[in-house]
Amino acid sequence: DAGFTKDPMTGCLTCECGVATANECAMDNDCARVNADCCGCELGGKDTAVPAAYVDAWNAQLMCPTNPTCPNVDTCPADLAARCVAGECTLVSGPLPPDPCGRPDLPACPQGERCWPNANDQATMQGVGVCLPD
């Protein structure tokens, strides 16, 4: 359910099932992208990911002024998205790879294929595998 375990030395996924480091999410839509500071990426700050159920509480705890002083320069990649990786909401750049697998919100691989970890960098970064011929 939490994808694959990442080798701490190489950063590559192993064939072992991942263990959720947090219990924030099970699927990508359990997470939301929010400002990490009063400016957020669009205005020169940073963004982060939190469980979707906590967006209002997150925004309230920032205690931002109505008109924060910000550089007004977008600082984040356009494809940055909130994703569920190993049970934790994180920001990941880029879409899921074609034919992703290894999480409950992703379809099972077709017959004759299996879920391969480390099939490509994008899949590895997002903690998922890719369906490839067995």
Side-chain angles (χ1 to χ4, degrees), residues 9-23:
M9 301 297 280
T10 65
C12 294
L13 299 178
T14 68
C15 289
E16 297 176 25
C17 293
V19 176
T21 55
N23 193 21

Side-chain angles (χ1 to χ4, degrees), residues 1 3 10 13-14 20 25-26 31-32 48 52-54 64 74 83 88 94 103 115 134:
D1 287 353
T10 65
L13 299 178
T14 68
C25 56
C31 301
T48 191
Y54 298 116
C64 295
D74 195 336
R83 301 230 186 259
E88 186 174 1
R103 289 194 326 220
C115 194
D134 204 6

Side-chain angles (χ1 to χ4, degrees), residues 33-53:
R33 180 177 168 178
V34 295
N35 290 355
D37 54 35
C38 292
C39 295
C41 280
E42 289 183 359
L43 298 177
K46 294 183 180 181
D47 282 0
T48 191
V50 298

Side-chain angles (χ1 to χ4, degrees), residues 99 101 107-116 131-134:
D99 302 319
C101 54
C109 293
Q111 188 157 352
E113 295 185 2
R114 77 175 175 121
C115 194
W116 290 89
C131 294
L132 296 171
D134 204 6

